[in-house]
Amino acid sequence: MITSLSVQWRMDEFCELAGLPAECLIEIVEQGILDPGGQAPEEWLFDAAALAIAKRAARLQRDLEIDWPGIALALSLLDELEQLRAENAMLKRRLGRFLQE
Amino acid sequence: MLEPQGSSMDFKDYYAILGVPDSADDKAIKTAYRKLARKYHPDVSREAGAEEKFKEVAEAYEVLGNAEKRAEYDEVRRYGRAGAGFEVPPGWQRSGSFGDYAGHPGRDFSDFFEAIFGSAGRAGEAPGRGREGGRRGQDVEMELPIFLEDTLADESKKILYQVPQYDSAGRRLADIDKTLNVKIPPGVGDRERIRLKGQGAPGIGGAPNGDLYLVIRLVPHPLFDVEGHNLIITVPLAPWEAALGTKVTLPTLKGKVNLTIPANSQTGQRLRIKGRGLVSKLGTTGDLYALLKVVMPSRNDEATQQLWKQLAEQAGFDPRTEWSKRP
């Protein structure tokens, strides 16, 4: 089974996969939640990581009734939180190698 | 996930789930929902069981947040109470006004909900509905724990997973078990996603299958820590090894290497072994760092104790000069 890391979708295909109306996707890009490159929507390209982010943004918008700027903020804070947790777990593991039980 | 279709099921007290009295007004219900949704939303919460809890809360709000549904539910609630098995009241007719409901795609509500409002109240429009009435299968996401060793070469991993299955009416059927041999691309990192096209849930009515997404999780290694593409291994040294220098045979992810520890080495010092780290996607290889850690023997006999005393007198070493500088 061949796995692909570098898949890319255009806007219409991406909207269908994410279950998002085009207006929402435009909002998501305008808020800087996703950066699909290109000047105009016709040039936008989205990858698998973007799909996960878009779906997450759509769920938060639907379930928590937050507006798009709020979602942009929530996502960046959640992302930072996850990174800090990973870093913290890693540093704890490394510190543990120097501590006596 | 799937419960047998019986005539009896647990009664769900949506008011209790939202923690509001049954006299609560719309505003109180909305506030209670928002508070609980923020707390248990699976994209936000890491609490165990958060997802199940959130589903319950969302279902409760779906009903209580809608005047018509709430009225129907209140009627049912007068008939059956929590604790006892719930049966749909005899002669129960749902109003049928929820058929055009298309609010919340992709939500899974309970059998209890369906018994009252029917699957039309639940179905909504799933993402990816095709123009010809077919429906693309759901994407499925799962975590794939892999060992550091797996990232070095084109390793194959056998994975077992389940995909949801729906009939053409949108009713959920038993999950399908799937097995797949997956080649792990070299250089994958923690939390990276791998897409397996068409390996998700089956499409309905000739529509394409969903995709499978594997989210890579690097399993912590008993010996190596990861820092970017570099690896770190902690090397315990006896005090005399640190003082006099020595040679140690070091494990790496691929075989062993010999490492020379110079004389007068310190705890915390790092020695670089080039090209023995993780590979990157560009094909470059990180390095392995040996992090030195001087350790004491747990016990000393009389003679050794004597030697330490001798050393203490001779060395004239104060490891805490930093402290004496302070007033």
Side-chain angles (χ1 to χ4, degrees), chain A residues 27 31 33 60-61 64-73:
Chain A
E27 193 71 44
Q31 292 294 340
I33 294 170
L60 289 173
Q61 198 247 358
L64 302 186
E65 301 173 352
I66 317 176
D67 60 12
W68 292 111
I71 288 166
L73 177 64

Side-chain angles (χ1 to χ4, degrees), chain A residues 1 59 62-63 90 97, chain B residues 33 43 107 225-226 293:
Chain A
M1 188 71 222
R59 283 193 300 264
R62 177 193 73 189
D63 297 332
M90 160 76 175
R97 298 193 193 274
Chain B
Y33 165 74
D43 284 306
R107 276 198 176 161
D225 295 314
V226 181
K293 173 193 178 188

Side-chain angles (χ1 to χ4, degrees), chain A residues 1 3-5 7 9 17 19 51-52 55-56 59 62-65 82-83 85 90 94 97, chain B residues 33-34 37 41 43 46 105 107 136 139 181 183 191 193 195 213 221-222 225-227 234 293:
Chain A
M1 188 71 222
T3 55
S4 60
L5 283 172
V7 60
W9 296 287
L17 288 172
L51 182 60
K55 283 181 171 174
R56 197 179 193 196
R59 283 193 300 264
R62 177 193 73 189
D63 297 332
L64 302 186
E65 301 173 352
E82 202 172 332
Q83 273 176 32
R85 277 183 175 141
M90 160 76 175
R94 285 177 58 183
R97 298 193 193 274
Chain B
Y33 165 74
R34 284 184 169 167
H41 198 280
D43 284 306
R46 297 204 338 154
R107 276 198 176 161
R136 186 177 171 274
D139 290 342
N181 264 317
K183 252 188 180 357
R191 294 198 285 153
R193 311 175 100 78
R195 174 181 182 243
Y213 286 91
H221 196 282
D225 295 314
V226 181
E227 196 179 56
T234 304
K293 173 193 178 188

